[in-house]
Amino acid sequence: MKQPKKVASDQSRRDFIKNTAIASSFFIVPRHVLGGVGFTSPSDQLNIAAIGAGGKGASDIMLASVKGRERIVALCDVDFSGSAKRSVENFPNAKLYADYRKMLDTETDIDAVTISTPDHVHGPAAKYAMDRGKHVYVQKPMTHNISEARILTELARSKKVVTQMGNQGGSNPYLDVVQKWIDEDKIGKISKVQVWTNRPVWPQGGPFPAANPGTKPDALQWDLWLGPAPEIPFTPNLHPFNWRGWWDYGTGALGDVGCHLIDIPFRTLGLKYPTDAECSVGTVFSKMWTPDYNPEGCPASSFITLHFAATAKSKSPIEMTWSDGGIKPSHPDIIPADDDIGGTGSANGVLIIGDKGIISTNINDSSPLMPKLYLNDGTTEFGPQTEENMESEYGHQRLWVDACKAGFGSAEHKGLTSSFDYAGPMTETVLMGNLAIRSYMLRRENSKGQQEFFGRKKLLWDGENLRITNLEEANQFVTRTYREGFGMG
């Protein structure tokens, strides 16, 4: 009997697995007889690694392991002294790394990675992995800026890797209720969508915290945490969570929950790139007549307006508004005054408004979606107000793993709710709001020696070509400047 050829590379290992599986079909002994009921052969396991093993990363890699069905071979984190310890305990055989680049270059048998880092590392880490043929699961928002989202969307197709963004609400089966109401024309011609959140719930809107190098935890690899961002001394109150409110690292309230909330109308109405963006932000006065100016950080509150062309599902142009910082829309007349709009306490939600009625939903992350239909004639129809989740996070990670094993272009791959073909354009839309906010804060000295804000206008967007067409200075926010070694090249 001929001996199998030595597996020389990651790709040949996968080919070997497939060929071995075909050859094994000639044997009459079923695998479960050899390994027991539920046994998964090592050759059928996916080799998965985590980039970001603490916080959300701990649950992402745990769920991607599918209760031990898959093999977790490596964990990467810049600080294993914090919540990442849980992943080390859960996967004691995984090799540990601080630098994802070293991990991916060393562990060549990795098939797929979960990426659950601060937002500014999502794009560079995903591209580094995808360039090496790895399937990727990337936490929301998919990227830190619009250019990165477009690059990764196109790269996923060219590299033929299976992708999924971590907006698990996209796999919420109760979204089918909302989709059915829209497809059946229940609320008629839709012209307006209102989206809002109580975020931020972290420090945001003030001055950047002061550096204090002497307080850096010994276990924290600060340079690697900074990644593509400018080099600065260790600054407390950024790692592990409060980075969200600073543009060098985070994407504010929009990045935190926009991919959960905006996902609902974007998905059910089949929206594409917005045609324009306009915003205003809350102003804080710490000194009389002198507004605080902290352009390095996200504002405490903002209001964004986006417009979309008609689609096959929306059938008419759509105006979408977004508000954060606890600013919510007025209570519609056809919704009883004592009913919440959106979710519990009206803290987060979406209103899809048509000429026959309104659809109200909650955030779709892992919260009850609470879909409600209110028609102008007084008719109401409510979807489930509680959810029986048979699988954590709607199986979002497990579905991605199954699609990785089935392969690019498979039915499982095409069935994913947030592969980059969808998640890319949706993320671009979310981040368009941030581009508008940052443009709103642009200022320069005028001929009178006074500071004037020159970006406070409606910005016209050419989505196909990734350009603001009526304010050149705004295009700097389409991408970013990368530190050497951490770019998108």
Side-chain angles (χ1 to χ4, degrees):
M1 180 175 180
K2 291 184 178 180
Q3 295 298 315
K5 294 181 180 179
K6 183 179 178 180
V7 182
S9 68
D10 190 33
Q11 182 60 49
S12 60
R13 183 182 74 83
R14 286 192 281 265
D15 293 340
F16 177 72
I17 289 170
K18 291 178 181 178
N19 293 336
T20 302
I22 293 170
S24 68
S25 65
F26 294 103
F27 291 92
I28 61 173
V29 181
R31 188 196 302 135
H32 77 265
V33 173
L34 300 175
V37 176
F39 173 75
T40 301
S41 167
S43 64
D44 289 339
Q45 289 180 306
L46 209 63
N47 286 344
I48 308 176
I51 301 175
K56 191 70 185 74
S59 60
D60 281 340
I61 193 63
M62 174 57 74
L63 293 173
S65 75
V66 195
K67 299 180 178 179
R69 190 188 74 184
E70 309 304 329
R71 184 188 298 115
I72 308 305
V73 297
L75 302 171
C76 177
D77 204 278
V78 297
D79 183 5
F80 279 106
S81 69
S83 58
K85 287 191 295 186
R86 180 156 59 104
S87 294
V88 177
E89 293 166 357
N90 289 333
F91 306 105
N93 295 325
K95 295 180 181 179
L96 305 184
Y97 292 87
D99 189 331
Y100 65 81
R101 300 167 300 181
K102 183 176 180 181
M103 180 185 74
L104 289 167
D105 289 343
T106 303
E107 305 294 329
T108 56
D109 274 357
I110 291 172
D111 298 309
V113 297
T114 61
I115 300 173
S116 312
T117 64
D119 300 348
H120 68 304
V121 181
H122 288 185
K127 186 174 188 299
Y128 201 89
M130 294 164 71
D131 278 341
R132 287 152 182 78
K134 315 304 182 186
H135 306 298
V136 295
Y137 179 100
V138 184
Q139 255 310 316
K140 53 79 193 165
M142 179 176 142
T143 59
H144 181 262
N145 60 65
I146 293 171
S147 176
E148 290 177 349
R150 187 67 61 88
I151 289 170
L152 294 190
T153 300
E154 294 173 352
L155 187 62
R157 298 183 192 126
S158 65
K159 292 291 185 179
K160 298 189 184 307
V161 293
V162 176
T163 56
Q164 180 96 303
M165 181 171 73
N167 61 323
Q168 63 271 13
S171 294
N172 186 336
Y174 294 115
L175 271 175
D176 291 343
V177 175
V178 179
Q179 189 70 71
K180 180 173 179 289
W181 289 337
I182 288 173
D183 291 348
E184 293 179 350
D185 199 34
K186 290 278 191 178
I187 61 172
K189 181 181 178 180
I190 300 166
S191 59
K192 191 175 183 67
V193 174
Q194 296 175 317
V195 187
W196 70 97
T197 181
N198 62 352
R199 267 70 158 191
V201 293
W202 51 83
Q204 187 169 300
F208 192 75
N212 190 347
T215 63
K216 186 189 79 66
D218 291 340
L220 174 61
Q221 303 294 312
W222 177 244
D223 185 70
L224 292 175
W225 186 88
L226 288 173
E231 183 178 355
I232 62 171
F234 174 74
T235 303
N237 301 315
L238 294 180
H239 171 77
F241 190 80
N242 290 342
W243 49 266
R244 290 184 178 277
W246 306 107
W247 293 124
D248 275 341
Y249 323 107
T251 49
L254 269 160
D256 181 49
V257 293
C259 291
H260 293 310
L261 286 160
I262 292 175
D263 173 52
I264 299 168
F266 198 89
R267 183 183 302 276
T268 58
L269 295 175
L271 300 180
K272 305 300 180 185
Y273 304 122
T275 57
D276 55 64
E278 189 173 6
C279 90
S280 58
V281 305
T283 305
V284 177
F285 286 80
S286 298
K287 181 180 177 182
M288 181 72 81
W289 299 112
T290 305
D292 293 356
Y293 184 63
N294 299 301
E296 68 274 18
C298 312
S301 61
S302 68
F303 186 88
I304 313 289
T305 303
L306 303 171
H307 290 99
F308 299 85
T311 70
K313 289 187 179 295
S314 71
K315 300 182 179 64
S316 61
I318 299 289
E319 178 181 276
M320 178 189 293
T321 61
W322 161 276
S323 54
D324 56 41
I327 306 300
K328 60 187 180 186
S330 299
H331 204 103
D333 290 339
I334 67 170
I335 298 180
D338 291 334
D339 285 12
D340 289 331
I341 56 172
T344 303
S346 305
N348 301 275
V350 175
L351 295 178
I352 302 175
I353 302 169
D355 59 5
K356 297 179 184 177
I358 294 174
I359 296 170
S360 168
T361 74
N362 190 16
I363 187 174
N364 73 344
D365 53 353
S366 291
S367 308
L369 187 64
M370 302 169 63
K372 299 179 181 179
L373 174 69
Y374 298 89
L375 299 182
N376 294 342
D377 62 7
T379 302
T380 60
E381 183 179 343
F382 290 1
Q385 299 304 289
T386 59
E387 294 175 358
E388 294 184 4
N389 298 330
M390 303 304 292
E391 190 173 2
S392 295
E393 299 194 4
Y394 314 107
H396 202 60
Q397 295 88 344
R398 192 265 305 162
L399 291 165
W400 166 71
V401 169
D402 291 348
C404 291
K405 296 172 81 168
F408 184 88
S410 64
E412 290 86 348
H413 176 213
K414 293 177 181 178
L416 292 176
T417 57
S418 286
S419 72
F420 288 179
D421 280 330
Y422 168 81
M426 197 267 281
T427 298
E428 289 187 33
T429 296
V430 170
L431 297 178
M432 190 67 206
N434 281 340
L435 184 150
I437 292 172
R438 300 188 74 178
S439 299
Y440 187 86
M441 298 306 294
L442 288 171
R443 70 180 188 180
R444 62 190 168 206
E445 189 173 295
N446 62 22
S447 59
K448 298 179 181 180
Q450 300 170 328
Q451 293 290 338
E452 65 176 8
F453 292 92
F454 60 92
R456 298 185 171 181
K457 60 194 296 185
K458 178 183 285 189
L459 303 175
L460 305 180
W461 179 240
D462 178 356
E464 294 301 322
N465 295 301
L466 294 175
R467 290 199 65 77
I468 296 293
T469 60
N470 65 330
L471 182 66
E472 182 57 36
E473 294 88 343
N475 288 308
Q476 65 185 289
F477 304 124
V478 173
T479 184
R480 72 173 301 160
T481 300
Y482 296 88
R483 222 165 34 117
E484 186 176 355
F486 296 96
M488 296 290 291

